[in-house]
Amino acid sequence: MDATTLPPALAETREDFLALGVKDRLTLLLDFSNELPELPERYRDHPDLLERVEECQSPVYIFVEVDPEGLVHMHATAPAEAPTTRGFASILAQGLDGLTPDEVFAIPADYPQSLGLGEAVSPLRVLGMSGMLARAKRQLTERIAA
Amino acid sequence: MSVEFDPAAKLAEYAHPERLVTTDWLAERLGQPGLVVVESDEDVLLYEVGHIPTAVKVDWHTELNDPVVRDYLSGAQFAELLSAKGIAREDTVVIYGDKNNWWAAYALWVFTLFGHEDVRLLDGGRDKWIAEGRPLTTDAPAREPVEYPVVERDDTVIRAFKEDVLAHFGNPLIDVRSPEEYTGERTHMPAYPEEGALRGGHIPTAASVPWARAAAEDGTFRTRAELDAIYRDEVGLRDGDDVIAYCRIGERSSHTWFVLTHLLGFEGVRNYDGSWTEWGSAVRVPIATGPERGEAPTG
């Protein structure tokens, strides 16, 4: 993976994680978790639009949309009792926001594994973020085709 | 120095009431010398969001497993971990966690492999504590490192390996996974990450008793009478039975191991921690599919 092709927000997130020791990476993930925005009101009453991320241990739902300018936004909701999952969703929601679909498709599938979270969180748990990214890309494909 | 046991009436019904404490009991004793509260969750960040005052965190995945070999810590690594957490060999350890104490039971089982004598679960776990409006804190506990002796793990009494399971046919096996995993419809828990078993199904002759049946709606353990109805009357376990429980990686079956050993008093219960991720990928081991238990292999 080449940092120069990675969207700036995701590249910055990765740099931030890798600059920290293992313990501080957990703290940063918690910061992301706390930053996960509430679902926009228009989706709150439409749980049917949201897709459950089966790869995650906790109930997390995502929805990807393309705005009239052709830019991508990802929304996610996960319970407060699942801060790790919320953290993963928050990293992607912030990292994907405002990208073009092509930029999203170009995000390497192993981006979650490149954040240095394997040791802090365990490789198995990081798979949850991989599932989220894969589903976001698939939803995006569907939105564009629609 | 052991902290006195919880005399609650519900606990007194169990075979080993000294292995459980109620939230009332714990709330009155927080900070008592000789008592260490440990939180062990599925979610690695949940402790950081807020934990029972004085509690230290032990993460099942990143702290109790060897980072390279698929095995638990060595005696030296366990001593180093507990020393750093400020837990002494003679301390009373009360473990609690999320998801009906699922991971707390797993941590308790690992502590038991090292013969830590006085280790108990908080009945109802984290959710019950919070539901009762009891305090949480994000303050780091003020525990100084202590000397924990190096005690080698004893894998012979409560742990089963694949070879033990192969030699166990004819004796009771309990599969504590979801019905879909038992029949072979899927190789991992509904809504959980795929952990890479190549075949679906169950170990022939194993009875299907999903672990969560032992938990009541509020996350506490079901009463002695309710548990007897499940494991003795329905499954047919009898005193003196040698039992092996398994799940996917040995976590859910730790919960069942706790129920059978400490709440119902069975003495020969082992947890097969290799569980389905090993069995479902091993070459030429027998597998049964569908809802029936299946036959023990002959010869």
Side-chain angles (χ1 to χ4, degrees):
Chain A
M1 183 184 331
D2 183 356
T4 55
T5 62
L6 204 58
L10 290 174
E12 193 186 325
T13 296
R14 181 165 67 187
E15 278 165 30
D16 289 346
F17 273 108
L18 295 181
L20 296 170
V22 169
K23 218 177 162 182
D24 291 332
R25 288 177 195 174
L26 271 186
T27 311
L28 180 56
L29 187 60
L30 188 59
D31 291 343
F32 272 102
S33 176
N34 292 331
E35 288 166 14
L36 181 67
E38 292 270 319
L39 273 188
E41 203 146 342
R42 60 189 182 280
Y43 296 126
R44 257 174 254 167
D45 300 327
H46 290 280
D48 48 303
L49 290 174
L50 299 166
E51 174 180 358
R52 166 114 196 217
V53 180
E54 302 279 349
E55 290 81 359
C56 280
Q57 299 184 336
S58 303
V60 52
Y61 297 84
I62 63 165
F63 183 75
V64 175
E65 64 176 356
V66 183
D67 69 18
E69 282 79 47
L71 301 178
V72 176
H73 306 282
M74 177 184 137
H75 309 288
T77 176
E81 306 81 64
T84 302
T85 302
R86 288 177 60 87
F88 291 163
S90 178
I91 289 171
L92 292 180
Q94 294 185 34
L96 269 56
D97 197 64
L99 299 182
T100 65
D102 282 343
E103 286 171 329
V104 173
F105 292 130
I107 298 169
D110 64 353
Y111 172 75
Q113 281 73 26
S114 73
L115 296 176
L117 287 170
E119 201 184 330
V121 168
S122 90
L124 183 65
R125 285 164 168 151
V126 175
L127 283 181
M129 198 187 339
S130 301
M132 225 177 270
L133 178 58
R135 283 167 192 272
K137 288 185 187 180
R138 206 214 58 247
Q139 280 193 19
L140 191 54
T141 309
E142 292 167 6
R143 301 286 178 274
I144 293 171
Chain B
M1 181 183 58
S2 175
V3 179
E4 68 275 16
F5 301 126
D6 186 339
K10 178 203 169 195
L11 308 187
E13 303 278 317
Y14 296 126
H16 297 287
E18 72 277 12
R19 292 298 177 179
L20 274 181
V21 303
T22 57
T23 47
D24 280 339
W25 181 95
L26 185 61
E28 284 164 19
R29 286 168 183 78
L30 289 180
Q32 185 166 322
L35 172 69
V36 185
V37 184
V38 169
E39 175 159 344
S40 199
D41 295 317
E42 176 178 277
D43 192 299
V44 67
L45 278 178
L46 198 50
Y47 171 91
E48 279 77 5
V49 171
H51 53 82
I52 294 179
T54 76
V56 299
K57 169 185 176 180
V58 172
D59 183 62
W60 62 282
H61 215 308
T62 60
E63 292 186 312
L64 294 177
N65 288 279
D66 184 278
V68 179
V69 178
R70 183 175 172 190
D71 201 356
Y72 301 103
L73 301 178
S74 67
Q77 289 168 317
F78 187 74
E80 193 184 331
L81 177 74
L82 267 64
S83 298
K85 303 273 180 196
I87 304 174
R89 182 75 174 168
E90 58 278 8
D91 279 340
T92 294
V93 175
V94 172
I95 311 181
Y96 74 98
D98 60 356
K99 308 270 169 98
N100 296 347
N101 272 334
W102 166 2
W103 305 95
Y106 188 46
L108 182 143
W109 180 77
V110 174
F111 273 56
T112 306
L113 288 174
F114 293 97
H116 190 99
E117 196 175 315
D118 191 358
V119 56
R120 316 178 193 178
L121 285 185
L122 173 66
D123 199 20
R126 181 182 166 96
D127 288 347
K128 184 157 194 282
W129 182 272
I130 293 173
E132 291 169 346
R134 298 182 190 272
L136 295 179
T137 180
T138 53
D139 294 345
R143 298 201 71 84
E144 295 296 321
V146 297
E147 276 300 310
Y148 195 94
V150 174
V151 180
E152 286 313 319
R153 221 176 50 224
D154 183 351
D155 292 334
T156 63
V157 181
I158 62 167
R159 187 180 186 192
F161 296 94
K162 182 170 119 252
E163 297 71 26
D164 300 321
V165 178
L166 286 165
H168 183 79
F169 284 115
N171 295 294
L173 277 162
I174 309 278
D175 184 320
V176 315
R177 299 173 299 160
S178 61
E180 295 83 0
E181 293 169 275
Y182 181 83
T183 58
E185 210 175 302
R186 58 196 311 166
T187 55
H188 57 107
M189 279 181 80
Y192 271 63
E194 174 62 76
E195 276 165 346
L198 294 172
R199 293 289 188 270
H202 57 270
I203 301 177
T205 75
S208 171
V209 189
W211 70 284
R213 290 189 60 194
E217 285 69 25
D218 65 354
T220 57
F221 287 103
R222 293 202 174 276
T223 63
R224 177 69 188 262
E226 290 168 330
L227 295 175
D228 274 333
I230 296 171
Y231 294 98
R232 289 182 196 271
D233 304 344
E234 183 186 319
V235 181
L237 297 184
R238 288 174 306 197
D239 289 323
D241 275 350
D242 285 326
V243 184
I244 293 179
Y246 72 93
C247 56
R248 179 189 49 148
I249 55 172
E251 10 67 288
R252 283 173 284 178
S253 43
S254 298
H255 191 271
T256 300
W257 169 86
F258 183 88
V259 169
L260 295 176
T261 300
H262 292 317
L263 304 187
L264 297 183
F266 290 97
E267 285 173 7
V269 185
R270 285 178 288 169
N271 178 25
Y272 169 38
D273 58 275
S275 277
W276 198 256
T277 51
E278 177 180 47
W279 195 272
S281 295
V283 175
R284 296 217 294 192
V285 296
I287 289 177
T289 55
E292 304 301 327
R293 291 190 185 187
E295 301 292 324
T298 51

